[in-house]
Amino acid sequence: MNYKIEGAIRKNKKSFIICSILWLLLVIVFVAPFSYTTFQAKVDGGISLEIFMEKIVSNMSNPFGTFAGIFTNGVTHDFISFLLGFTIVYLVVFFIGFAKSAPKNQFTDIEHGSSDWSQRGEQYQILSKNKGIILAEDNYLPLDKRGNVNVLVVGRFRFW
């Protein structure tokens, strides 16, 4: 199971940064203006759709003025509750995408025919680092090995 998490992290390093920047951008451009506009549109315990539609465009076009309005008018509680709800939804979507990008098995994205299947030099119990029949980079089949030293070459050899 550990290989799935490690593989997904390795595969998504750039995506973490991009998703963080996207979250910050969405908070500045959409969440803050939405929460401030709902505060401005409150009329008699409800929200006036006419005022909301009128103010949302101006609040989205001036996000830093919106932040100033949030903190000067005491709308921080509404902003934090909208921010928390948005962040939870964003994280759920992010983790679904993260889980779907996890490798299906241990050998996903490993080159066929390479020595990446072995770990911590275990291939050198059979193979040699220095001399013999070349199998892969830094992997040689020693000629002085006892037992079967037959080699099957799969692929084609081209020369022109």
Side-chain angles (χ1 to χ4, degrees):
M1 184 64 178
N2 193 22
Y3 67 88
K4 287 191 175 194
I5 295 170
E6 289 174 2
I9 290 172
R10 188 176 342 105
K11 191 175 181 180
N12 294 314
K13 283 182 182 178
K14 292 178 185 176
S15 298
F16 290 142
I17 296 169
I18 291 170
C19 287
S20 300
I21 292 170
L22 180 64
W23 177 84
L24 183 64
L25 183 70
L26 289 173
V27 165
I28 291 170
V29 174
F30 292 113
V31 175
F34 187 79
S35 64
Y36 188 56
T37 306
T38 55
F39 170 75
Q40 289 175 328
K42 285 184 181 175
V43 176
D44 298 328
I47 296 175
S48 171
L49 187 61
E50 183 180 331
I51 297 172
F52 182 84
M53 296 306 284
E54 180 182 312
K55 300 269 186 182
I56 189 75
V57 176
S58 64
N59 287 338
M60 284 179 140
S61 62
N62 187 10
F64 297 110
T66 302
F67 271 110
I70 286 173
F71 294 114
T72 57
N73 293 331
V75 191
T76 54
H77 178 71
D78 292 343
F79 172 67
I80 290 173
S81 64
F82 275 110
L83 180 64
L84 184 63
F86 171 74
T87 303
I88 290 171
V89 170
Y90 192 82
L91 286 175
V92 166
V93 171
F94 176 77
F95 282 119
I96 289 171
F98 182 76
K100 289 202 174 259
S101 70
K104 304 298 179 226
N105 57 39
Q106 281 181 291
F107 306 108
T108 302
D109 296 333
I110 293 179
E111 176 189 346
H112 297 291
S114 72
S115 63
D116 292 343
W117 52 268
S118 60
Q119 298 174 356
R120 295 178 288 284
E122 69 184 357
Q123 75 267 26
Y124 298 120
Q125 294 173 359
I126 301 169
L127 306 175
S128 171
K129 287 184 183 180
N130 303 325
K131 61 183 178 187
I133 301 171
I134 299 173
L135 298 177
E137 183 180 356
D138 296 331
N139 284 310
Y140 298 89
L141 181 65
L143 296 174
D144 59 351
K145 179 181 176 290
R146 298 187 82 186
N148 189 354
V149 290
N150 293 333
V151 177
L152 173 65
V153 178
V154 178
R156 44 187 149 164
F157 181 71
R158 294 186 191 179
F159 58 92
W160 34 75

